[in-house]
Amino acid sequence: MKQHNFFDRIIPITSLVCRLALGFLFFYAGVGKIIAPREFAVAIYNYQLLPDGTINLLAVVLPWLEVFLAAALVAGFYVRGASLLSAGLFFVFAVALSINLVRGLDISCGCFSTAGESINWLYVVREAGLLALSVFVLFFDRGWRCLVGSSA
Amino acid sequence: MNDLLHRNKAKIAVILRSAFKEALLLFLIAVLVAVVFNALRPAGISLLGFSPAQTFHAPQTKIPEITLAEAYDLYIKNKAVFVDARDPFSFEEGHIAGAINIYPDEISLHLAGLKQRISPGTVIITYCDGPRCPLSHETAQGLKLQGVSAVKVLIDGWGLWQKAGYPVAEGNK
C-alpha cells in the first residue's frame, strides 16, 4: 500500500519534470530555426527525403510548431495534444535520421540549430528517448497539482 | 482483471481522443502563425518551391575570388584542395590534378571526404569551366553553409589551368 502511494506521487512529479524539459528543448530548437529559415530549408533538403516543393513550407511551419509545443508544455495547456505531437515529431525525426544513416549520407542533423555536427546513431537513440518521454507525459501528466496535492 | 483491462482501455481511448483534438488545434494555430509571420518578415522565404541552386546562390556571404597565380602557388605548397564543381562526366574527362568533384546538388554526399582533407591553413578552391559558369559559386556557397569557411572561387578555373599547362588528371583520380 505504501509502495502504491509512493508511485502515485512520484509518477506525476516525474512527468512534470519531463514535460518542462521537453518544453524548454522545443523552445530552444524552434527559435534557432525561426531565425534562419533558409539554412533550415537547406538542412531539410540535405536529408533527401521530401520533394523540393514541400521543403520551404516545412522549414517555415516546423519551427513554429516546436515553439507552440514548448509554450503548451511549459504553461500546461493542451498538454495531451502537445505531447502527442511531440511523440509524433520525435518518431519522424528518428526515422529520417535512421534512413540517412543507413544510406551513409554525411549530413548535419539540423535538430537544434541549423549548423552542427554530422548525424550518427546516438542522435537516433536520443530521439527515441525523447519519444519515450513524450509518451510518458501523454499518459501520466497531472499538471502542477501533483506538487501541492496529497498522494491520495 | 478483465474489468480492469477494459477500464484501462477505455481510459487510454479517452486520453488519445482528446490528445488528437488538441494536437490538431495546436498544429493549425502553428501553421497560421508561421505563414503570417513568414509573409510579414523581410527575411521570409517563398513557401513553395525550394531551389537548391537559388538558395546556395543567395548572397548570404560573399565568396572571395582567387587568381590563377595565387591558386597555383597554394597548389605547389600543398595548401589547397581543389573542388571541381562541374558535372561528374566533365570531371572524368579531365580536371585539375588532385581535385575532388562536388557538384552543387551533391555537397552532402561529399562533405565528409572533403573535411578529411582539410587541415588548418588549407584553402578550398572551387572552380568550373568558363568565366560565366555559376557552379563554382554555388558549390562554394553550399560549402560555406555547411560550415567550411576557407573557400575561394577560381573563376574560369578549368580553362585557365589548362592554358597554363599546369598538372591535370583524368578519370576518378
Side-chain angles (χ1 to χ4, degrees):
Chain A
M1 198 62 183
K2 246 184 181 176
Q3 202 180 12
H4 188 249
N5 282 343
F6 173 74
F7 281 118
D8 272 355
R9 186 142 181 81
I10 206 74
I11 286 176
I13 292 175
T14 311
S15 167
L16 180 66
V17 172
C18 294
R19 200 185 91 191
L20 294 176
L22 285 171
F24 286 114
L25 210 63
F26 271 125
F27 183 76
Y28 173 61
V31 169
K33 292 172 201 158
I34 287 173
I35 292 169
R38 203 176 292 275
E39 284 78 0
F40 183 46
V42 173
I44 299 172
Y45 166 75
N46 285 341
Y47 273 81
Q48 298 181 22
L49 290 171
L50 293 171
D52 285 0
T54 60
I55 288 174
N56 276 7
L57 189 64
L58 187 64
V60 167
V61 171
L62 184 59
W64 277 102
L65 184 60
E66 290 181 329
V67 166
F68 275 95
L69 291 187
L73 288 167
V74 172
F77 69 91
Y78 285 2
V79 170
R80 283 177 179 170
S83 48
L84 181 70
L85 271 176
S86 158
L89 285 182
F90 287 125
F91 178 75
V92 172
F93 295 160
V95 171
L97 285 165
S98 303
I99 290 173
N100 277 322
L101 283 165
V102 171
R103 280 173 170 174
L105 285 194
D106 181 61
I107 56 175
S108 76
C109 180
C111 306
F112 293 104
S113 65
T114 48
E117 288 176 24
S118 301
I119 54 172
N120 59 55
W121 285 105
L122 278 178
Y123 283 72
V124 180
V125 174
R126 184 187 66 191
E127 305 302 304
L130 292 169
L131 166 60
L133 290 193
S134 307
V135 173
F136 186 73
V137 172
L138 172 62
F139 289 107
F140 296 105
D141 184 68
R142 300 280 178 280
W144 295 96
R145 279 172 301 170
C146 65
L147 294 180
V148 285
S150 73
S151 59
Chain B
M1 188 66 184
N2 222 351
D3 187 42
L4 189 72
L5 199 73
H6 186 71
R7 238 185 301 158
N8 274 342
K9 262 188 185 172
K11 214 171 161 185
I12 290 172
V14 169
I15 290 176
L16 286 179
R17 208 174 301 137
S18 67
F20 272 112
K21 271 187 207 161
E22 291 176 7
L24 185 66
L25 205 63
L26 275 170
F27 179 74
L28 291 177
I29 295 170
V31 171
L32 190 71
V33 172
V35 170
V36 171
F37 182 81
N38 183 64
L40 295 179
R41 74 189 292 195
I45 57 177
S46 75
L47 285 180
L48 301 172
F50 172 82
S51 156
Q54 187 193 340
T55 301
F56 292 135
H57 204 59
Q60 295 101 348
T61 46
K62 177 127 179 68
I63 306 289
E65 290 167 10
I66 188 167
T67 64
L68 181 68
E70 288 168 334
Y72 186 66
D73 187 45
L74 290 171
Y75 177 83
I76 294 293
K77 290 177 183 160
N78 215 5
K79 281 187 172 174
V81 174
F82 284 85
V83 173
D84 190 318
R86 297 171 303 156
D87 63 275
F89 299 109
S90 306
F91 179 81
E92 279 190 27
E93 281 176 15
H95 53 263
I96 294 178
I100 54 172
N101 184 209
I102 307 183
Y103 194 66
D105 284 353
E106 294 175 350
I107 287 170
S108 55
L109 294 173
H110 301 288
L111 196 61
L114 176 65
K115 280 183 176 170
Q116 278 173 3
R117 293 180 56 173
I118 302 175
S119 54
T122 306
V123 178
I124 314 295
I125 301 173
T126 65
Y127 71 89
C128 51
D129 194 12
R132 288 174 184 274
C133 171
L135 298 171
S136 52
H137 280 99
E138 288 171 16
T139 290
Q141 286 281 4
L143 289 173
K144 279 246 173 188
L145 280 174
Q146 296 286 354
V148 181
S149 54
V151 187
K152 291 188 175 183
V153 176
L154 177 59
I155 304 281
D156 191 21
W158 178 232
L160 293 176
W161 195 267
Q162 273 182 307
K163 268 181 220 154
Y166 293 152
V168 294
E170 284 179 13
N172 274 322
K173 276 281 159 192

